PDB file of all heavy atoms in Angstrom:
ATOM      1  N   ALA A1447      56.682 -26.988  19.293  1.00 63.00           N
ATOM      2  CA  ALA A1447      57.963 -26.277  19.432  1.00 63.00           C
ATOM      3  C   ALA A1447      58.887 -26.425  18.238  1.00 63.00           C
ATOM      4  O   ALA A1447      60.093 -26.335  18.361  1.00 63.00           O
ATOM      5  CB  ALA A1447      58.690 -26.717  20.698  1.00 63.00           C
ATOM      6  N   GLN A1448      58.314 -26.663  17.056  1.00 69.00           N
ATOM      7  CA  GLN A1448      59.195 -26.711  15.896  1.00 69.00           C
ATOM      8  C   GLN A1448      59.153 -25.416  15.116  1.00 69.00           C
ATOM      9  O   GLN A1448      59.704 -25.324  14.033  1.00 69.00           O
ATOM     10  CB  GLN A1448      58.753 -27.839  14.963  1.00 69.00           C
ATOM     11  CG  GLN A1448      59.135 -29.184  15.489  1.00 69.00           C
ATOM     12  CD  GLN A1448      58.318 -30.257  14.822  1.00 69.00           C
ATOM     13  OE1 GLN A1448      57.428 -29.957  14.059  1.00 69.00           O
ATOM     14  NE2 GLN A1448      58.612 -31.498  15.123  1.00 69.00           N
ATOM     15  N   VAL A1449      58.438 -24.443  15.633  1.00 73.00           N
ATOM     16  CA  VAL A1449      58.282 -23.202  14.884  1.00 73.00           C
ATOM     17  C   VAL A1449      58.646 -22.031  15.767  1.00 73.00           C
ATOM     18  O   VAL A1449      58.643 -22.127  16.985  1.00 73.00           O
ATOM     19  CB  VAL A1449      56.836 -23.036  14.398  1.00 73.00           C
ATOM     20  CG1 VAL A1449      56.533 -24.040  13.350  1.00 73.00           C
ATOM     21  CG2 VAL A1449      55.881 -23.197  15.555  1.00 73.00           C
ATOM     22  N   THR A1450      58.915 -20.922  15.112  1.00 78.00           N
ATOM     23  CA  THR A1450      59.233 -19.712  15.869  1.00 78.00           C
ATOM     24  C   THR A1450      57.949 -18.995  16.252  1.00 78.00           C
ATOM     25  O   THR A1450      56.886 -19.241  15.686  1.00 78.00           O
ATOM     26  CB  THR A1450      60.079 -18.763  15.038  1.00 78.00           C
ATOM     27  OG1 THR A1450      59.294 -18.376  13.907  1.00 78.00           O
ATOM     28  CG2 THR A1450      61.343 -19.425  14.579  1.00 78.00           C
ATOM     29  N   GLU A1451      58.095 -18.093  17.179  1.00 81.00           N
ATOM     30  CA  GLU A1451      56.944 -17.314  17.635  1.00 81.00           C
ATOM     31  C   GLU A1451      56.310 -16.537  16.503  1.00 81.00           C
ATOM     32  O   GLU A1451      55.093 -16.429  16.397  1.00 81.00           O
ATOM     33  CB  GLU A1451      57.407 -16.318  18.717  1.00 81.00           C
ATOM     34  CG  GLU A1451      57.421 -16.895  20.097  1.00 81.00           C
ATOM     35  CD  GLU A1451      56.079 -17.499  20.472  1.00 81.00           C
ATOM     36  OE1 GLU A1451      55.056 -16.800  20.362  1.00 81.00           O
ATOM     37  OE2 GLU A1451      56.053 -18.683  20.827  1.00 81.00           O
ATOM     38  N   ASP A1452      57.175 -15.992  15.641  1.00 81.00           N
ATOM     39  CA  ASP A1452      56.633 -15.168  14.566  1.00 81.00           C
ATOM     40  C   ASP A1452      55.785 -15.972  13.596  1.00 81.00           C
ATOM     41  O   ASP A1452      54.740 -15.510  13.126  1.00 81.00           O
ATOM     42  CB  ASP A1452      57.769 -14.510  13.805  1.00 81.00           C
ATOM     43  CG  ASP A1452      58.232 -13.277  14.526  1.00 81.00           C
ATOM     44  OD1 ASP A1452      57.380 -12.386  14.723  1.00 81.00           O
ATOM     45  OD2 ASP A1452      59.392 -13.227  14.921  1.00 81.00           O
ATOM     46  N   GLN A1453      56.251 -17.147  13.293  1.00 78.00           N
ATOM     47  CA  GLN A1453      55.463 -17.982  12.394  1.00 78.00           C
ATOM     48  C   GLN A1453      54.099 -18.263  13.010  1.00 78.00           C
ATOM     49  O   GLN A1453      53.066 -18.171  12.354  1.00 78.00           O
ATOM     50  CB  GLN A1453      56.184 -19.298  12.124  1.00 78.00           C
ATOM     51  CG  GLN A1453      57.222 -19.204  11.038  1.00 78.00           C
ATOM     52  CD  GLN A1453      57.928 -20.509  10.848  1.00 78.00           C
ATOM     53  OE1 GLN A1453      58.346 -21.132  11.815  1.00 78.00           O
ATOM     54  NE2 GLN A1453      58.049 -20.935   9.621  1.00 78.00           N
ATOM     55  N   LEU A1454      54.123 -18.594  14.314  1.00 79.00           N
ATOM     56  CA  LEU A1454      52.866 -18.871  14.991  1.00 79.00           C
ATOM     57  C   LEU A1454      51.934 -17.680  14.891  1.00 79.00           C
ATOM     58  O   LEU A1454      50.757 -17.811  14.588  1.00 79.00           O
ATOM     59  CB  LEU A1454      53.130 -19.165  16.466  1.00 79.00           C
ATOM     60  CG  LEU A1454      53.413 -20.598  16.849  1.00 79.00           C
ATOM     61  CD1 LEU A1454      53.628 -20.676  18.340  1.00 79.00           C
ATOM     62  CD2 LEU A1454      52.267 -21.474  16.450  1.00 79.00           C
ATOM     63  N   GLU A1455      52.514 -16.513  15.158  1.00 82.00           N
ATOM     64  CA  GLU A1455      51.655 -15.340  15.170  1.00 82.00           C
ATOM     65  C   GLU A1455      51.101 -15.045  13.790  1.00 82.00           C
ATOM     66  O   GLU A1455      49.937 -14.687  13.638  1.00 82.00           O
ATOM     67  CB  GLU A1455      52.436 -14.146  15.709  1.00 82.00           C
ATOM     68  CG  GLU A1455      52.760 -14.320  17.170  1.00 82.00           C
ATOM     69  CD  GLU A1455      53.197 -13.031  17.813  1.00 82.00           C
ATOM     70  OE1 GLU A1455      53.087 -11.984  17.152  1.00 82.00           O
ATOM     71  OE2 GLU A1455      53.646 -13.086  18.959  1.00 82.00           O
ATOM     72  N   SER A1456      51.938 -15.213  12.780  1.00 81.00           N
ATOM     73  CA  SER A1456      51.418 -14.889  11.459  1.00 81.00           C
ATOM     74  C   SER A1456      50.355 -15.877  11.025  1.00 81.00           C
ATOM     75  O   SER A1456      49.351 -15.499  10.408  1.00 81.00           O
ATOM     76  CB  SER A1456      52.548 -14.828  10.437  1.00 81.00           C
ATOM     77  OG  SER A1456      53.288 -16.010  10.450  1.00 81.00           O
ATOM     78  N   ILE A1457      50.550 -17.150  11.376  1.00 80.00           N
ATOM     79  CA  ILE A1457      49.511 -18.125  11.032  1.00 80.00           C
ATOM     80  C   ILE A1457      48.220 -17.787  11.762  1.00 80.00           C
ATOM     81  O   ILE A1457      47.130 -17.833  11.167  1.00 80.00           O
ATOM     82  CB  ILE A1457      49.947 -19.555  11.381  1.00 80.00           C
ATOM     83  CG1 ILE A1457      51.130 -19.970  10.539  1.00 80.00           C
ATOM     84  CG2 ILE A1457      48.808 -20.527  11.165  1.00 80.00           C
ATOM     85  CD1 ILE A1457      51.586 -21.374  10.819  1.00 80.00           C
ATOM     86  N   THR A1458      48.358 -17.437  13.050  1.00 82.00           N
ATOM     87  CA  THR A1458      47.153 -17.103  13.812  1.00 82.00           C
ATOM     88  C   THR A1458      46.431 -15.923  13.199  1.00 82.00           C
ATOM     89  O   THR A1458      45.213 -15.938  13.020  1.00 82.00           O
ATOM     90  CB  THR A1458      47.530 -16.756  15.256  1.00 82.00           C
ATOM     91  OG1 THR A1458      48.442 -17.719  15.730  1.00 82.00           O
ATOM     92  CG2 THR A1458      46.302 -16.726  16.121  1.00 82.00           C
ATOM     93  N   ASP A1459      47.216 -14.901  12.872  1.00 82.00           N
ATOM     94  CA  ASP A1459      46.586 -13.724  12.273  1.00 82.00           C
ATOM     95  C   ASP A1459      45.858 -14.084  11.003  1.00 82.00           C
ATOM     96  O   ASP A1459      44.731 -13.650  10.756  1.00 82.00           O
ATOM     97  CB  ASP A1459      47.654 -12.680  11.954  1.00 82.00           C
ATOM     98  CG  ASP A1459      48.133 -12.000  13.208  1.00 82.00           C
ATOM     99  OD1 ASP A1459      47.307 -11.847  14.134  1.00 82.00           O
ATOM    100  OD2 ASP A1459      49.312 -11.630  13.267  1.00 82.00           O
ATOM    101  N   ARG A1460      46.524 -14.888  10.198  1.00 81.00           N
ATOM    102  CA  ARG A1460      45.920 -15.267   8.945  1.00 81.00           C
ATOM    103  C   ARG A1460      44.633 -16.051   9.162  1.00 81.00           C
ATOM    104  O   ARG A1460      43.618 -15.846   8.489  1.00 81.00           O
ATOM    105  CB  ARG A1460      46.933 -16.105   8.167  1.00 81.00           C
ATOM    106  CG  ARG A1460      46.455 -16.542   6.838  1.00 81.00           C
ATOM    107  CD  ARG A1460      45.908 -15.361   6.064  1.00 81.00           C
ATOM    108  NE  ARG A1460      45.535 -15.743   4.753  1.00 81.00           N
ATOM    109  CZ  ARG A1460      46.382 -15.773   3.760  1.00 81.00           C
ATOM    110  NH1 ARG A1460      47.628 -15.444   3.942  1.00 81.00           N
ATOM    111  NH2 ARG A1460      45.966 -16.145   2.572  1.00 81.00           N
ATOM    112  N   THR A1461      44.668 -16.967  10.124  1.00 80.00           N
ATOM    113  CA  THR A1461      43.489 -17.787  10.403  1.00 80.00           C
ATOM    114  C   THR A1461      42.328 -16.918  10.846  1.00 80.00           C
ATOM    115  O   THR A1461      41.206 -17.064  10.353  1.00 80.00           O
ATOM    116  CB  THR A1461      43.800 -18.800  11.503  1.00 80.00           C
ATOM    117  OG1 THR A1461      45.030 -19.430  11.216  1.00 80.00           O
ATOM    118  CG2 THR A1461      42.704 -19.820  11.607  1.00 80.00           C
ATOM    119  N   ILE A1462      42.622 -16.007  11.760  1.00 81.00           N
ATOM    120  CA  ILE A1462      41.534 -15.171  12.268  1.00 81.00           C
ATOM    121  C   ILE A1462      41.001 -14.288  11.158  1.00 81.00           C
ATOM    122  O   ILE A1462      39.792 -14.118  11.002  1.00 81.00           O
ATOM    123  CB  ILE A1462      42.033 -14.334  13.453  1.00 81.00           C
ATOM    124  CG1 ILE A1462      42.338 -15.255  14.617  1.00 81.00           C
ATOM    125  CG2 ILE A1462      40.987 -13.305  13.844  1.00 81.00           C
ATOM    126  CD1 ILE A1462      42.716 -14.549  15.865  1.00 81.00           C
ATOM    127  N   GLN A1463      41.920 -13.772  10.364  1.00 80.00           N
ATOM    128  CA  GLN A1463      41.483 -12.886   9.298  1.00 80.00           C
ATOM    129  C   GLN A1463      40.584 -13.598   8.311  1.00 80.00           C
ATOM    130  O   GLN A1463      39.610 -13.035   7.818  1.00 80.00           O
ATOM    131  CB  GLN A1463      42.736 -12.326   8.626  1.00 80.00           C
ATOM    132  CG  GLN A1463      42.466 -11.459   7.433  1.00 80.00           C
ATOM    133  CD  GLN A1463      43.175 -11.996   6.219  1.00 80.00           C
ATOM    134  OE1 GLN A1463      44.306 -12.482   6.326  1.00 80.00           O
ATOM    135  NE2 GLN A1463      42.558 -11.921   5.086  1.00 80.00           N
ATOM    136  N   GLU A1464      40.891 -14.880   8.052  1.00 78.00           N
ATOM    137  CA  GLU A1464      40.058 -15.622   7.116  1.00 78.00           C
ATOM    138  C   GLU A1464      38.676 -15.882   7.666  1.00 78.00           C
ATOM    139  O   GLU A1464      37.690 -15.825   6.954  1.00 78.00           O
ATOM    140  CB  GLU A1464      40.702 -16.988   6.844  1.00 78.00           C
ATOM    141  CG  GLU A1464      41.457 -17.063   5.569  1.00 78.00           C
ATOM    142  CD  GLU A1464      42.022 -18.452   5.395  1.00 78.00           C
ATOM    143  OE1 GLU A1464      41.546 -19.377   6.059  1.00 78.00           O
ATOM    144  OE2 GLU A1464      42.949 -18.580   4.608  1.00 78.00           O
ATOM    145  N   ALA A1465      38.624 -16.251   8.927  1.00 78.00           N
ATOM    146  CA  ALA A1465      37.347 -16.710   9.459  1.00 78.00           C
ATOM    147  C   ALA A1465      36.504 -15.594  10.034  1.00 78.00           C
ATOM    148  O   ALA A1465      35.293 -15.734  10.159  1.00 78.00           O
ATOM    149  CB  ALA A1465      37.592 -17.761  10.535  1.00 78.00           C
ATOM    150  N   ASP A1466      37.132 -14.520  10.386  1.00 77.00           N
ATOM    151  CA  ASP A1466      36.413 -13.484  11.129  1.00 77.00           C
ATOM    152  C   ASP A1466      35.491 -12.701  10.224  1.00 77.00           C
ATOM    153  O   ASP A1466      35.925 -12.036   9.302  1.00 77.00           O
ATOM    154  CB  ASP A1466      37.464 -12.545  11.752  1.00 77.00           C
ATOM    155  CG  ASP A1466      36.860 -11.743  12.866  1.00 77.00           C
ATOM    156  OD1 ASP A1466      35.731 -12.072  13.279  1.00 77.00           O
ATOM    157  OD2 ASP A1466      37.522 -10.809  13.320  1.00 77.00           O
TER     158      ASP A1466
END
Side-chain angles (χ1 to χ4, degrees):
Chain A
Q1448 285 161 355
V1449 291
T1450 63
E1451 274 306 307
D1452 278 301
Q1453 277 178 313
L1454 271 181
E1455 292 195 9
S1456 54
I1457 295 181
T1458 314
D1459 285 327
R1460 181 50 176 274
T1461 313
I1462 292 185
Q1463 176 237 322
E1464 260 181 18
D1466 198 12

